Every structure is written in structure tokens, then in C-alpha cells.
Amino acid sequence: MDKLSQAQSELREMDALAASDSPVHRLHPLCKLLVTVCYIVTVVSFPKYDFTGLVVMVLYPILLFQAADIPVSTCFYKLRVVLPLVCAVGLVNPFLDPTPWMQLGNLTVTGGVVSMVTLMMKGIFSLMASFLLIATTPMDSLCAALRKLHVPSILTTLLLLTYRYIGVMLEQVSVMTEAYKLRAPGQKGIHISAWGSFLGQLLLRSMDRAQELYDSMLLRGFQGEFFYADVPPCKASGIVYTLVCVLAFAVARLVPVTSLLGNLFVG
Amino acid sequence: MIQFQNVSFSYDSAQSVVENLSFTIGKGETVGLIGANGAGKSTIMKLLLGLIQGQGEITVDGLPLNKQNIPAIRQKIGFVLQDSDNQMFMPTVYEDMIFGPRNYGLSKEETERRVDDVLNRLGLSELKHRYNHKISGGEKRMAAIATILAMEPEMILMDEPSTALDPVNRRTVINTIRQLPQTKLIASHDLDMILDTCQRVILLSHGNIVADGDAEAILRDKALLEANRMELPFCLQGYPH
């Protein structure tokens, strides 16, 4: 399978993943959205040297991946392109902050290294939570939840259609790349001289296709406000889930849980 | 009833795509639009749906096609696109089928009733919750027709409904079209299918109506068809039907 087909297939896999059934999938999308936002805000709010405090936040994605029956490895596999970028964000920190922060045997760990690790963890945890949300909530349910939060319809429609059009564009790229390869045997990728016309054609074809799709929507009564999936009223389980999670995040953020546990065992 | 009166359209001022067209399609009629590539078949459909604006007057059930009436007219007309992939833009068949009815304000219960009714009628119940990207071309074409029928339109326009289908799927689509009671306008190069489904044919050439009348009479006229870059339907060439 070439890279484009793989990308298309992964996009569809995400749709299938979101449509599966588990206790997490069954939670109200608005609850999941609020908890995810709350989680990310909590994770990001940890001080840059609070490495030990942050560690406990890994419990949320790990537990929910288990409950949703999604292997954590799937998350890391799907995020393989973004994760290195997130990890690269803090790479300069060790050079900017050489202050010794702790001693591990003969090894001096500087503040820069700790802040780098903290930053990486923040990025990875946030990505994991976002992935969890997308993998357990169909995009239209997510947009419906955003609408319930009074996010303007133009933004939610844009989000939904962008998600749909990624597939359309990938299909066009796939068809064009195949046609190119068939007439350029032995050539690896697309030659630089063809990039301009290739991108131009891709744009024109995508626009044509997008116009057809839009016409099809117009002809079925679309008037700017996307009809989203029916989101049932929030059940008690959703409210309990939200409250428990928010409370747990607040405790993790305000109480030094790892230090307390450490003192308990080490004394 | 669909009425075109002196309708013209051009993408640029140099050449008209359709020119001074006038015709009427009565309630319950099934009309085939035939003609060579670029004859103006798809343009007529787009004009009728208000997707492009031309000169002249188009009326649908007495409603003149204008900005105010476009929503009402579009609610009356279902359009089956040539490429089903462009029609089925939601993840599942069910979500695609409820898109139109829910946009027109139908209740969840009524929408559900319509979806089940249409799927049962077309024998597609097992497709209801299938992913659009996982169904075959033939199933997708039938599902596209189902999405339109769920809107309960009074008229149906079809652009090349039988292209890229294997013989069995093509026959299923033809049988389905024949059973639909609505007014139908079908644009196609598949003259056998037109002969099978339509009582009347409008033959176009360079945006003009060359012939308008009984389907069999026009489709048997070899000289007329060949003069307009077409051939007799295979079934009339001596091949088994």
C-alpha cells in the first residue's frame, strides 16, 4: 500500500474507531469535550520543573484507552508524525537553562533537561487526550457538542467539511500520483519540474470535486447550518464522569500526589 | 410540471451551451435527454436546479425559477449525480439518507420511517449502517438513489445513472427507475437504458433540440442518431436485448 492509500485508510480507520462501542464511546460528546479541554488546560498549567506532579496525569489517558478498548500503541502509531515535532519543542531547553537541578549519582540533571522532559510530557499527554477524544467521538457528534457550547456554526461546519474534504483531496492526490507514476517508470516521487503543474491541477480538481459535493448538499436543503448527528440528552453517567474527572484533575494539580506517595513508601 | 421557455445559457459570451430551448415535461412523464458529449444535457439539469443561471424562463409546478423559489423547487426535485462519490459525502448510508429530510425540518421519527421505507422498497436494508467507502459501485449508486427517494421528491433528475455499472447492477438500477412513479428526466448515453425506461426522448445537439417525441420512434431513427454523433441502441442493432 502506498503512503497516500495508507493515509486514506487511516482516516477511515479513525471513523470506524469513533463509531465503535464502549463505555467511553457511549459518554455524551459534550462531557468528553469538556473533560478533554479541562485535562489539557490542567496539563499545560503545571510548572516547568514539576516533572513529578505531571507524571500522575498519565493515568487519565491510560485508563480511558483501556475503557475504550483502544490499544495505546494505536495512538502512538497514528500520531507518529506529530509526536517527534512535539518532542522537538523542548530540545533547546538544556542549552538555555544549565542550572543544576538534581543529582542522580554522578550525573547532574540540569533544570533545562527537566523542563524539556516536562514540556515533552505535556505535549504527549495533550496529544493522547485529543486522540482519545477523536477516537471515541464521531466528528459530527463533536461538532454538535461544539454547537451546544455556542461555537458559531460557520466554525463547526468548517471543521466538519475540512475533515470530510481531507479524504476527497487525498483521493485526488492518489489518482494523480498513480497516473504520473504509470508514465514515469523508475522515477521516485514526482520530479521537481512537475510540482507546479501537479499542485495546480490538484487544486483545480479538488475545487471541482468540492463544488460537486457542495451542490449535492445544496440540493438536499443545506442552508449553512449543518445537520449534526442526534446527540441525546446528557445522562447522569456523563455528569458524574465530568465531575469526577475535573475533581481528579484539580487534585492532581493542587496536591503533590507523587510526593505524598513517595513519602508514604520511603518515609 | 417542468417548463423551459426560450432558455439560453453560456459559460462565456462566445458560444452558447444551450440556446433558446423550449420544452415542457408533464407530471408523471419519464423523459430521456440524449445527445453527444457537450450537447447540453447536464447544463439543462443544472439550470433546472438553479445551480447555474441562464436567460429565459423556467417554471416548476407553476413556480418560476428565481432566488425566492429555489428552496421550494429544490425540495420538489431530487438529483442523482453522475458520480455517486460526490453524492454520498457522509460516513454511512444512513447518515447520507437523513441529511436531506432533516435539513428540510422533518422529525427524527418521520425521517426514520422514510429511511426504512425506502431501503425496504429498494431491498437495501442491509446497507443502512454500512460505510459509504466500503460498499461497491453498484450499491453506492442504489444508495445514492435511496438518499434522493428519502426526500420524497415529486420529480427526479438523473445524470448518467447507469454508467460504470456491471450488467446486473445496471439492470437493478433500470428496474428501480421503472418502478418510480415520479416525473423523471434522465440524461444518458446509454440508449438501451433510455429505451427501457423512457416514453419520450429529447435529442440535443450543440444546445438545441433536434428531436422531441416518442422514445422508440427517435431511437429507431438511425439517420437522425448518426447525424447527431450517436448510434442505434444495441438492442435495435440486432444484438440480444
Side-chain angles (χ1 to χ4, degrees), chain B residues 97-117:
Chain B
M97 286 186 75
I98 64 170
F99 184 82
R102 294 308 300 269
N103 274 327
Y104 284 120
L106 259 75
S107 68
K108 196 185 167 199
E109 292 72 29
E110 174 61 11
T111 307
E112 199 71 28
R113 185 197 64 75
R114 281 191 184 187
V115 168
D116 288 338
D117 177 49

Side-chain angles (χ1 to χ4, degrees), chain B residues 50-71:
Chain B
L51 291 173
I52 50 176
Q53 275 83 44
Q55 288 84 50
E57 199 180 316
I58 301 171
T59 55
V60 177
D61 272 353
L63 286 174
L65 185 81
N66 55 35
K67 211 175 173 185
Q68 288 76 44
N69 291 334
I70 278 181

Side-chain angles (χ1 to χ4, degrees), chain B residues 77-223:
Chain B
I77 305 175
F79 183 38
V80 181
L81 274 76
Q82 182 176 353
D83 187 346
S84 305
D85 280 327
N86 290 344
Q87 184 140 4
M88 311 290 286
F89 50 84
M90 299 293 277
T92 64
V93 172
Y94 171 75
E95 283 167 280
D96 243 308
M97 286 186 75
I98 64 170
F99 184 82
R102 294 308 300 269
N103 274 327
Y104 284 120
L106 259 75
S107 68
K108 196 185 167 199
E109 292 72 29
E110 174 61 11
T111 307
E112 199 71 28
R113 185 197 64 75
R114 281 191 184 187
V115 168
D116 288 338
D117 177 49
V118 170
L119 289 174
N120 284 337
R121 235 179 327 138
L122 299 184
L124 301 173
S125 298
E126 80 283 1
L127 288 188
K128 187 173 177 181
H129 294 292
R130 295 268 300 276
Y131 282 99
N132 284 330
H133 65 267
K134 284 190 174 170
I135 59 180
S136 71
E139 288 173 326
K140 205 176 276 183
R141 188 65 52 87
M142 288 300 292
I145 295 174
T147 62
I148 295 307
L149 293 182
M151 290 165 58
E152 297 193 349
E154 293 168 33
M155 299 155 210
I156 299 176
L157 309 187
M158 293 178 163
D159 196 0
E160 299 286 1
S162 60
T163 46
L165 293 181
D166 64 40
V168 172
N169 282 318
R170 177 179 166 277
R171 181 50 55 193
T172 310
V173 168
I174 290 173
N175 290 339
T176 306
I177 294 172
R178 287 169 67 138
Q179 285 165 15
L180 299 174
Q182 288 93 340
T183 307
K184 296 178 285 288
L185 182 61
I186 305 167
S188 183
H189 292 295
D190 181 350
L191 300 187
D192 289 88
M193 189 266 295
I194 293 287
L195 193 60
D196 257 357
T197 54
C198 304
Q199 296 94 46
R200 181 181 153 200
V201 156
I202 297 175
L203 171 59
L204 296 164
S205 176
H206 303 292
N208 293 296
I209 294 179
V210 180
D212 179 355
D214 179 66
E216 200 165 334
I218 291 175
L219 294 174
R220 276 185 185 280
D221 192 335
K222 191 178 176 195

Side-chain angles (χ1 to χ4, degrees), chain A residues 169-190:
Chain A
M169 206 178 76
L170 279 175
E171 254 174 56
Q172 291 300 331
V173 178
S174 182
V175 168
M176 286 173 66
T177 315
E178 211 163 276
Y180 181 91
K181 276 183 189 165
L182 288 170
R183 284 179 290 157
Q187 205 178 101
K188 205 176 177 186
I190 293 159

Side-chain angles (χ1 to χ4, degrees), chain A residues 36-197:
Chain A
T36 306
V37 171
C38 203
Y39 176 80
I40 293 172
V41 169
T42 312
V43 163
V44 171
S45 72
F46 273 87
K48 63 177 180 177
Y49 297 127
D50 196 359
F51 163 74
T52 49
L54 190 59
V55 168
V56 83
M57 293 301 284
V58 78
L59 286 175
Y60 166 75
I62 297 291
L63 288 176
L64 260 81
F65 273 114
Q66 289 300 315
D69 201 18
I70 300 171
V72 183
S73 56
T74 308
C75 166
F76 286 112
Y77 179 72
K78 300 270 185 209
L79 297 175
R80 64 194 180 280
V81 180
V82 199
L83 278 172
L85 296 173
V86 169
C87 293
V89 171
L91 281 181
V92 285
N93 283 22
F95 304 104
L96 297 176
D97 184 4
T99 329
W101 194 76
M102 67 178 200
Q103 200 70 33
L104 281 177
N106 290 332
L107 189 73
T108 307
V109 179
T110 64
V113 170
V114 175
S115 66
M116 178 188 76
V117 172
T118 310
L119 207 58
M120 284 176 177
M121 282 168 67
K122 283 181 181 182
I124 293 169
F125 291 177
S126 302
L127 276 178
M128 283 171 85
S130 308
F131 177 84
L132 193 66
L133 176 69
I134 297 168
T136 57
T137 321
M139 192 51 83
D140 47 349
S141 301
L142 205 57
C143 289
L146 287 169
R147 285 294 291 137
K148 281 201 186 296
L149 290 175
H150 298 285
V151 172
S153 73
I154 191 154
L155 288 180
T156 53
T157 304
L158 202 66
L159 177 67
L160 192 66
L161 291 183
T162 305
Y163 185 70
R164 295 265 170 270
Y165 281 138
I166 289 172
V168 173
M169 206 178 76
L170 279 175
E171 254 174 56
Q172 291 300 331
V173 178
S174 182
V175 168
M176 286 173 66
T177 315
E178 211 163 276
Y180 181 91
K181 276 183 189 165
L182 288 170
R183 284 179 290 157
Q187 205 178 101
K188 205 176 177 186
I190 293 159
H191 193 266
I192 195 162
S193 62
W195 281 11
S197 54

